[in-house]
Amino acid sequence: MLKYLLLLSFFLFIRSALGQVCSGNFGTNIFDSGNFGSGTSQVLSFDPQLAPGYIYTTRLPPNDGYYSIVSSLNLGQVHSSWLTLSDNSADPNGYMMVVNANFEPGLFYEETITGLCENVLYEFSADIFNLNAAWATDRIQANVSFLLDDEVLYSTGDIPRNEKWNTYGFTFTTKPGQTQLKLSLRNNAPGGIGNDLALDNITFRPCGSTALILSETVANICEDGEPIDLIATIIGSAFEDKFIQWQQSFDQGSTWVNLEGESGDTFTFNNLQAGFYYYRYLLADSQEKLENEKCRTFSNTKVVRVIPRFVSTTASICEGLSIPFGDRNIFSTGVYKDTLQNSIGCDSIVTVNLTTVENDLNAFFRVSKPTCDYLADGAIEILSLTSPGPHQLKINGENQAQSWINDSLAAGDYEYVIQDRYGCRLDTTITVSNPPKFEVNLGPDQTLTLGERFQVNDFIAESAVLYDWTPNSIDCDPPCTSIDELFTESTTISLMAISSKRCEATDRVEVLIEGKGDLIIPNVFTPNQDDKNDFFTVFPNEVNGIDIVNELTIYNRSGKIIFRNNSFDPGIPELGWNGTVNGSLAPSGIYYYAADVLFINGESSVYTGFVHLLH
């Protein structure tokens, strides 16, 4: 049967919501394995032999002509246009069937079912998921025909790419004398790019009139009350003749047993012992069908609750608290008895054995600071409590889940209220403090003369693992804590640093470069070879912004050039004029100069003047 069911479902033997569906009550699902079962492994490890003509594979995704039984399809386990999904149930380990169709259309399943009943309405249904995404408009759409005894009774048409589970169903009535049925499924679409399906929750079950026990809510009666009648309410004309069998469940609806002799429209409940009782009835149009689970339907489950007359309970409360009991409050250890009436009017003799307990509730916490001063990832964890649970916890007035851990806290004070099972309460304030602030301090903005170096020390107090400088020409990586840079133009310096705890800190400083830097050109020199002031040249000032002296030219009073030197470093006396002309010491007097100077910012200037030569 399972083989029939699964394959049938797999190819949409099922009829879409556009076809006839059952509007009454169902019977037992003949294919009780139509949900494909469940398991702890994502993929069923063995071949269930459900699909003749198809090959089973545990490798995802299956290729054309293959199928798999899986609990889910995840990224990396689907084709390019397939969607990820899980089986269509609340069971996290539930399985579904995933099919990648054969290349050629044709019959893919045929099975004969026996043990059915004549003139009974049956429904097949299943949940179908088109695995191709809505955008995959070029993919082949699945299309399936369903045949009964070689006659096509329904074709699904194209299964939509609507990215959800769709339920398809088909109903039919067996013919007079028909107790078996040949089912055939034909895949009308070829394999290749598309025609990919997931199937789940396949059912094949009888369908009948609407069968109810009204009302559908729990019936509450008193233990000393009167018996009540449960009445079979049947709506619809699926059964011309009606045969009923009342049943009771002793395991809250998991299994059912017949109630001997209870086959009428009314069942009288007269078991007035306290407890919960579960009832339903079977329905068919003949006694033979009533005894065949493949041919009968059943009603809703009716629950009857008998409320006990004598109720005894124990309670424990914290010292100083009280609980209501009848028209009074009780607050001290003792045994209390009263006759009370519940909401439906039942009188009950209630005995309460009350115990008061000392409030010794205390908590031990572990507090974690935020990783960085600007983050809210601190935590307060309750390591232990001195009273039994369960406990209720509020933080700043809001109820918290009982994981006892909150890892999204910013620094601050948190009001904790903890209450144990007895109502004992602890009010306390827990402080989450900030870690030391991770900071970068490049100092104030600086105004420098060309040639003056930008310097900053101890710009970071905590160890860092990464620096990101602007401009990126600054060569200073952790553990560097000072920089000494020469800039030839005004610059904005910024630093983003990351600490070993992944905290970030930034700072910036403006460096304004003014002027070209002073230089010194003497107005007197004494070339008397006493190693003092023997040469005339261009000297840099204390802040050296000079790159090179392009040219230094000396003229006599008549304008004749008597000395010239090109492209030399300033401040080196021997590269200047030694006071001689053609190898002889020039006479004392005034001489004129022109100095073409190139600065480190690429600009040049010409300086002119006179110098006294003295012997």
Side-chain angles (χ1 to χ4, degrees):
M1 278 307 177
L2 175 61
K3 175 174 70 172
Y4 147 68
L5 156 71
L6 291 179
L7 266 202
L8 154 100
S9 66
F10 128 34
F11 263 32
L12 277 159
F13 128 91
I14 326 138
R15 189 195 46 108
S16 101
L18 298 176
Q20 181 183 358
V21 292
C22 181
S23 60
N25 281 46
F26 291 106
T28 301
N29 182 16
I30 297 171
F31 299 110
D32 58 359
S33 297
N35 61 1
F36 301 98
S38 64
T40 56
S41 298
Q42 182 192 10
V43 184
L44 189 67
S45 61
F46 60 89
D47 183 358
Q49 298 183 343
L50 301 177
Y54 283 78
I55 301 172
Y56 186 77
T57 180
T58 58
R59 183 176 180 180
L60 301 178
N63 292 322
D64 291 320
Y66 287 76
Y67 77 103
S68 302
I69 304 297
V70 302
S71 61
S72 62
L73 288 175
N74 303 316
L75 290 175
Q77 298 175 332
V78 295
H79 292 296
S80 60
S81 66
W82 281 22
L83 298 162
T84 61
L85 77 157
S86 300
D87 87 305
N88 193 25
S89 75
D91 184 354
N93 297 320
Y95 283 139
M96 62 184 170
M97 189 176 193
V98 174
V99 181
N100 197 333
N102 269 327
F103 288 98
E104 297 297 329
L107 290 175
F108 63 85
Y109 184 74
E110 189 172 87
E111 182 72 29
T112 299
I113 308 301
T114 62
L116 304 177
C117 296
E118 64 178 359
N119 299 318
V120 172
L121 184 68
Y122 290 93
E123 181 186 272
F124 283 91
S125 65
D127 297 333
I128 312 296
F129 194 105
N130 188 332
L131 288 171
N132 290 290
W135 59 263
T137 56
D138 59 339
R139 302 306 195 261
I140 299 169
Q141 298 297 82
N143 187 307
V144 175
S145 289
F146 174 66
L147 297 78
L148 294 180
D149 290 337
D150 300 323
E151 178 184 359
V152 175
L153 296 185
Y154 175 74
S155 292
T156 65
D158 290 345
I159 308 303
R161 295 183 306 274
N162 56 7
E163 303 188 5
K164 67 178 183 179
W165 287 98
N166 300 277
T167 299
Y168 293 84
F170 176 78
T171 59
F172 64 93
T173 302
T174 49
K175 299 175 182 179
Q178 186 177 30
T179 59
Q180 67 177 34
L181 181 67
K182 183 172 74 172
L183 289 172
S184 301
L185 295 176
R186 186 173 68 206
N187 178 23
N188 299 322
I193 303 178
N195 199 5
D196 310 309
L197 299 172
L199 303 160
D200 206 357
N201 301 325
I202 303 163
T203 59
F204 173 42
R205 53 192 174 175
C207 170
S209 298
T210 301
L212 299 172
I213 307 172
L214 299 176
S215 72
E216 297 186 66
T217 58
V218 174
N220 293 294
I221 63 175
C222 305
E223 191 174 25
D224 57 354
E226 298 294 330
I228 63 171
D229 289 336
L230 305 183
I231 300 174
T233 302
I234 301 171
I235 304 171
S237 58
F239 299 135
E240 183 176 347
D241 297 315
K242 300 177 179 64
F243 288 78
I244 290 175
Q245 174 61 59
W246 288 88
Q247 293 185 317
Q248 182 176 0
S249 174
F250 297 93
D251 53 12
Q252 300 181 3
S254 295
T255 60
W256 295 88
V257 295
N258 291 341
L259 294 174
E260 186 175 353
E262 298 293 344
S263 57
D265 291 342
T266 301
F267 168 71
T268 299
F269 173 81
N270 55 16
N271 182 2
L272 298 180
Q273 295 183 0
F276 288 86
Y277 301 86
Y278 294 76
Y279 296 95
R280 75 177 186 182
Y281 62 87
L282 305 177
L283 179 64
D285 62 2
S286 71
Q287 186 63 36
E288 180 183 8
K289 293 177 182 176
L290 192 66
E291 295 173 359
N292 187 340
E293 69 174 357
K294 297 181 182 179
C295 308
R296 68 195 185 195
T297 61
F298 47 80
S299 71
N300 62 299
T301 298
K302 179 68 174 181
V303 179
V304 179
R305 179 193 179 196
V306 179
I307 299 174
R309 177 168 176 75
F310 294 94
V311 178
S312 180
T313 185
T314 60
S316 297
I317 60 173
C318 195
E319 286 181 335
L321 300 180
S322 64
I323 59 173
F325 186 61
D327 57 359
R328 57 183 170 147
N329 290 326
I330 55 178
F331 53 84
S332 59
T333 298
V335 177
Y336 302 85
K337 184 178 292 187
D338 203 348
T339 300
L340 305 177
Q341 190 176 80
N342 65 19
S343 60
I344 67 169
C346 296
D347 288 331
S348 298
I349 299 174
V350 180
T351 301
V352 176
N353 190 337
L354 180 65
T355 303
T356 58
V357 298
E358 182 182 356
N359 186 359
D360 60 354
L361 176 59
N362 200 358
F364 298 93
F365 297 90
R366 177 167 59 201
V367 181
S368 300
K369 298 178 181 179
T371 306
C372 307
D373 68 286
Y374 55 84
L375 293 180
D377 61 353
I380 300 174
E381 179 182 359
I382 298 178
L383 298 178
S384 64
L385 293 162
T386 57
S387 70
H391 295 86
Q392 293 180 338
L393 169 65
K394 287 186 178 181
I395 301 178
N396 290 348
E398 295 185 2
N399 291 323
Q400 300 294 315
Q402 293 185 10
S403 63
W404 305 111
I405 298 175
N406 191 327
D407 58 358
S408 58
L409 301 179
D413 293 334
Y414 293 88
E415 303 296 329
Y416 264 64
V417 177
I418 304 172
Q419 186 171 297
D420 67 12
R421 63 190 302 177
Y422 307 125
C424 294
R425 176 174 166 141
L426 171 67
D427 293 78
T428 186
T429 300
I430 304 298
T431 298
V432 177
S433 57
N434 253 330
K437 187 174 183 179
F438 178 61
E439 292 183 291
V440 168
N441 184 4
L442 296 177
D445 294 344
Q446 296 188 28
T447 300
L448 305 177
T449 301
L450 181 66
E452 188 177 359
R453 302 185 70 83
F454 171 79
Q455 295 178 330
V456 60
N457 297 311
D458 301 325
F459 57 78
I460 191 165
E462 184 180 332
S463 61
V465 296
L466 179 67
Y467 291 156
D468 184 9
W469 289 97
T470 300
N472 57 17
S473 59
I474 297 177
D475 184 15
C476 175
D477 292 319
C480 168
T481 61
S482 62
I483 57 175
D484 184 340
E485 297 286 331
L486 178 64
F487 297 104
T488 59
E489 60 184 357
S490 296
T491 303
T492 298
I493 301 172
S494 63
L495 170 62
M496 190 279 288
I498 298 178
S499 74
S500 57
K501 294 182 179 180
R502 315 310 295 175
C503 302
E504 294 184 6
T506 60
D507 194 21
R508 59 184 292 168
V509 61
E510 300 291 339
V511 178
L512 179 64
I513 304 298
E514 292 185 344
K516 298 178 182 178
D518 294 334
L519 48 80
I520 299 172
I521 302 178
N523 59 8
V524 63
F525 78 115
T526 57
N528 55 13
Q529 297 183 358
D530 62 354
D531 294 330
K532 297 179 181 179
N533 200 20
D534 287 337
F535 295 89
F536 173 77
T537 190
V538 176
F539 293 92
N541 204 340
E542 181 179 356
V543 177
N544 182 15
I546 302 174
D547 183 14
I548 198 169
V549 179
N550 288 326
E551 183 175 275
L552 175 63
T553 305
I554 306 297
Y555 304 88
N556 60 17
R557 293 175 66 90
S558 62
K560 181 180 179 181
I561 296 174
I562 58 175
F563 174 82
R564 174 179 287 163
N565 194 10
N566 298 308
S567 299
F568 63 92
D569 292 331
I572 302 176
E574 291 80 4
L575 299 180
W577 182 37
N578 61 3
T580 63
V581 177
N582 296 324
S584 299
L585 186 63
S588 296
I590 294 176
Y591 296 85
Y592 300 92
Y593 66 84
D596 184 355
V597 178
L598 177 66
F599 295 91
I600 58 176
N601 62 357
E603 298 179 4
S604 60
S605 295
V606 175
Y607 297 84
T608 60
F610 61 89
V611 58
H612 289 266
L613 186 154
L614 300 175
H615 291 302

